Amino acid sequence: MMELPVHRTPRFGPLIRDDGVVFRFWAPKQRRVRLQLDGTTLPMQSLGGWHSLETTASFGSRYCFVLESGQAVPDPASRFQPADVHGPSELVDPAAYRWRNTTWRGRPWHETVLYELHVGTFTSEGTFAGAARRLEDLAELGVTAIQLMPVADFPGRRNWGYDGVLPFAPDAAYGRPEGLKGFIDTAHGLGLSVMLDVVYNHYGSEGNYQPLYAPVFTERHETPWGAAVNYDDEGSAEVRAFVIENVLYWLEEFRFDGLRFDAVHEIRDSSEFHLLEEIRTAVAAIAPDRPVHLVLENEENSAAWLTRREGEAVGFTAQWNDDMHHVLHVAVTGESSAYYGDYTNRPRLLGRALAEGFAFQGEKMPYRGRPRGEASGHLPPESFIAFLQNHDQVGNRATGDRIHHGHTLAAVRAAAATYLLAPQIPMLFQGEEWAASTPFTFFCDVDAELAEKVREGRRNEFSRFPEYAKPEARAAIPDPVSEQTFQTAKLRWREREDAPHADVLAWYRRILNVRASKIVPLIPDFMQGGRYKVGEQGVVEVRWEGESGTVLAVVLNLSATPKLLDEVIEGRPVWIEGHKVGAALAPWTVVWTLRP
């Protein structure tokens, strides 16, 4: 990617000029605000809810804003917090990092093989620099894009990242902003795109000082975290502008190749121009000549956000396909608790999720008690991101156990062979590729009062599951605020060299090589979903027909019993996982074929 011109003046955060720095602070609830800069306190000029002061300052200087009450707060648009969320902000030089890979132009979406990682547990160091040293391993694996869990500044030394409170500041536990740029630069040099998970549906509980001075929340809407972020009430124009600028900041200054928007169904916005639409429009304006991939997590499964025109995304690039995960998970595990019960013993939903994306397309979902989803078969398969594991589906289990911890590798490989060779976009979760022994449990680092609430909330969350109905069972759930819980989640890279991990790693390398050579070239040819059917014995068959007439097909026996096919499989084999003998499919057998 060439140097990116910035044709706009940032609205939030310090404005750096040749002759000084303009410190700006939107605080309409405060009549007077003072700037504290390297120990010196200076009055700021107030006008229309904004407070500003132009003065001289050096990069590395620390500053904060002092409210009328005497409370000192960090800059909500801070670029770095060396002393965590309660400390002063640092004045950062945005041009300090010298990019090496200045010709990177990104990669087309259909080539994508995503790899989700959490910086703090991906390596023993838990830093951007440590993660960068492992990127070559991912490139050799067959990954083409990294999906970073959120890095925005959060309270304490460890967190999943979804409790961030300062969205412009990479967390100091992972390194400086220059370290994040170095990670992205290294990835680009290896041909890897990098995407960032961002959270605009809520703020974390500890360290969010914005309600003291700005109308950042509204009681007009309710979310699982309380009052909604204010995107459509009085004062919302600046709140929206803050988010839009944050989106553009990551794409321009850090050169991310895309963003994943967390739980957009909890972005409550009843205005005529929804925040998501404003984000999409703003991104299109700054990046007309390079691929920028915008991905949604949306529990409502709203196909309208994924609209295509002549095969090109006019809305968002893709959505995480939770339905695909659920059908594969229940096939392997047989679990039927909570929402898994809606997918158990329903092979038709497996076929539909694989062929069309959403398993529920407007039908009532019993667990939710109301309809879910929209028709999605008209969308191309690349509109959906498929996975067998991710941070939510592993980490939101009571003990953070991975699917291979309690089930046979044969079953797990069959499920993986299903999603890794499908024309949907596959995503691996860190360590999946070698059947990592480590769990990934929820963890955080908050003050003592909030810590007990987090513990209790975690235990209550699992009280509805039969195996955790008794208090003594819930007491065995790992403590989410314990340092040990965090440490046990760190990957052990050395185990990749030993059996059975080495064999699993070799398997993932082989199948991703087949995907790159056989499946990826076909994906642009698939302009809509496939067709599926379920045989008399429960064998699922799915076919995708391309515009050129090419047919990609798969037959699945994701069960522990042999099953008979209803008809002969046509086409040449691309991959056979398990065993096919005549018309019989052995347990955990997946057969992919291709007919030119």
Side-chain angles (χ1 to χ4, degrees):
M1 173 168 55
M2 297 182 294
E3 296 297 323
L4 293 174
V6 178
H7 301 298
R8 56 188 179 79
T9 300
R11 191 171 178 82
F12 299 88
L15 178 60
I16 298 166
R17 294 176 172 169
D18 292 338
D19 56 349
V21 179
V22 181
F23 291 91
R24 302 165 299 176
F25 184 49
W26 184 59
K29 293 183 180 181
Q30 300 289 311
R31 292 173 300 170
R32 292 181 298 275
V33 175
R34 291 172 292 162
L35 172 71
Q36 191 174 95
L37 177 64
D38 288 335
T40 300
T41 302
L42 305 167
M44 301 183 75
Q45 181 181 11
S46 301
L47 181 63
W50 281 90
H51 306 264
S52 67
L53 174 66
E54 183 170 1
T55 185
T56 57
S58 303
F59 293 124
S61 291
R62 299 191 181 187
Y63 70 98
C64 58
F65 301 112
V66 182
L67 307 182
E68 291 176 293
S69 66
Q71 171 79 58
V73 299
D75 187 345
S78 168
R79 270 45 177 176
F80 188 56
Q81 291 290 121
D84 206 12
V85 297
H86 303 294
S89 305
E90 180 181 313
L91 185 62
V92 172
D93 180 1
Y97 183 80
R98 302 299 179 187
W99 293 87
R100 302 184 306 276
N101 295 289
T102 57
T103 59
W104 173 256
R105 301 293 299 172
R107 297 187 69 148
W109 181 244
H110 74 275
E111 296 179 356
T112 301
V113 175
L114 277 168
Y115 187 98
E116 187 187 25
L117 70 84
H118 176 267
V119 175
T121 56
F122 184 58
T123 65
S124 58
E125 304 98 316
T127 61
F128 297 127
R133 286 190 282 273
R134 284 295 179 183
L135 288 175
E136 191 170 350
D137 293 288
L138 301 187
E140 291 175 354
L141 173 64
V143 166
T144 68
I146 309 302
Q147 170 71 71
L148 289 181
M149 289 175 65
V151 301
D153 206 37
F154 50 76
R157 297 160 296 173
R158 55 190 179 272
N159 198 290
W160 274 18
Y162 299 92
D163 293 326
V165 293
L166 295 168
F168 288 80
D171 197 272
Y174 300 154
R176 294 186 55 82
E178 297 83 10
L180 176 55
K181 292 176 181 178
F183 173 89
I184 296 167
D185 204 3
T186 300
H188 288 170
L190 292 167
L192 300 172
S193 301
V194 187
M195 300 183 64
L196 177 66
D197 201 338
V198 290
V199 183
Y200 300 129
N201 51 54
H202 78 290
Y203 286 94
S205 299
E206 182 185 341
N208 178 26
Y209 294 100
Q210 290 192 70
L212 296 176
Y213 54 79
V216 71
F217 292 120
T218 174
E219 298 292 340
R220 178 180 288 185
H221 308 288
E222 186 75 13
T223 74
W225 307 281
V229 179
N230 178 19
Y231 294 127
D232 60 3
D233 207 347
E234 184 177 354
S236 62
E238 296 293 3
V239 178
R240 295 169 72 99
F242 185 75
V243 168
I244 299 300
E245 189 160 300
N246 185 249
V247 166
L248 302 184
Y249 164 76
W250 292 122
L251 297 175
E252 290 180 318
E253 184 170 321
F254 285 82
R255 306 187 179 187
F256 277 101
D257 298 282
L259 301 172
R260 180 263 191 188
F261 299 90
D262 177 68
V264 298
H265 54 279
E266 298 295 353
I267 295 177
R268 305 300 174 83
D269 182 6
S270 58
S271 60
E272 185 176 348
F273 196 46
H274 194 281
L275 179 70
L276 290 179
E277 183 62 25
E278 189 171 351
I279 288 172
R280 187 199 66 78
T281 303
V283 171
I286 64 124
D289 60 346
R290 68 175 178 117
V292 173
H293 311 304
L294 303 181
V295 170
L296 301 177
E297 179 193 30
N298 186 358
E299 176 66 21
E300 299 301 323
N301 283 356
S302 304
W305 287 117
L306 306 174
T307 300
R308 259 58 180 175
R309 185 178 300 122
E310 296 180 357
E312 297 295 325
V314 296
F316 286 77
T317 311
Q319 178 180 315
W320 278 26
N321 190 1
D322 283 339
D323 278 352
M324 190 69 211
H325 167 269
H326 299 343
V327 292
L328 293 176
H329 183 88
V330 299
V332 172
T333 67
E335 292 181 17
S336 58
S337 297
Y339 53 81
Y340 287 137
D342 292 348
Y343 299 85
T344 304
N345 298 321
R346 301 182 70 181
R348 176 180 169 277
L349 293 185
L350 170 59
R352 196 181 202 189
L354 190 55
E356 301 179 3
F358 299 147
F360 288 90
Q361 299 182 20
E363 300 86 357
K364 182 179 179 180
M365 191 172 178
Y367 180 75
R368 290 161 56 99
R370 56 188 173 88
R372 176 172 181 246
E374 297 175 350
S376 57
H378 62 287
L379 295 170
E382 63 179 46
S383 305
F384 305 96
I385 295 173
F387 44 87
L388 183 59
Q389 303 180 62
N390 69 13
H391 75 272
D392 272 331
Q393 304 302 338
V394 176
N396 284 335
R397 297 176 68 80
T399 60
D401 53 306
R402 297 166 180 263
I403 195 168
H404 54 263
H405 288 168
H407 304 280
T408 67
L409 284 178
V412 174
R413 278 198 303 266
T418 301
Y419 93 88
L420 289 174
L421 294 181
Q424 295 184 24
I425 300 301
M427 183 177 74
L428 291 76
F429 180 60
Q430 62 176 40
E432 174 185 342
E433 70 272 25
W434 75 78
S437 65
T438 49
F440 187 80
T441 314
F442 178 72
F443 50 80
C444 60
D445 180 18
V446 292
D447 62 40
E449 181 180 354
L450 185 56
E452 189 52 42
K453 292 180 180 178
V454 171
R455 289 189 188 99
E456 189 61 27
R458 184 77 174 164
R459 294 175 188 135
N460 290 340
E461 181 181 349
F462 292 100
S463 62
R464 57 186 172 173
F465 291 83
E467 59 269 39
Y468 294 101
K470 295 182 179 180
E472 55 267 29
R474 295 197 296 276
I477 295 174
D479 182 357
V481 297
S482 165
E483 169 78 16
Q484 181 63 21
T485 301
F486 169 67
Q487 291 296 333
T488 57
K490 286 180 178 282
L491 293 179
R492 301 169 185 164
W493 283 83
R494 289 186 178 179
E495 71 183 8
R496 301 190 319 157
E497 303 168 6
D498 303 322
H501 305 289
D503 295 335
V504 175
L505 180 60
W507 183 91
Y508 270 84
R509 285 173 172 163
R510 289 196 304 272
I511 198 167
L512 288 178
N513 182 61
V514 169
R515 178 180 181 84
S517 61
K518 303 294 185 182
I519 307 301
V520 167
L522 303 177
I523 294 176
D525 203 33
F526 299 132
M527 304 299 289
Q528 60 184 9
R531 292 176 295 169
Y532 68 95
K533 63 181 181 180
V534 179
E536 290 184 4
Q537 294 196 7
V539 172
V540 175
E541 180 181 349
V542 183
R543 295 173 183 264
W544 296 265
E545 185 170 349
E547 295 290 294
S548 64
T550 299
V551 176
L552 177 68
V554 63
V555 292
L556 308 165
N557 177 16
L558 297 186
S559 76
T561 59
K563 293 185 178 179
L564 293 176
L565 285 165
D566 289 352
E567 58 185 58
V568 177
I569 302 175
E570 297 180 353
R572 64 174 182 266
V574 172
W575 184 276
I576 299 177
E577 187 63 35
H579 302 283
K580 173 184 174 293
V581 181
L585 296 180
W588 310 115
T589 293
V590 177
V591 180
W592 284 96
T593 59
L594 181 62
R595 188 178 70 201

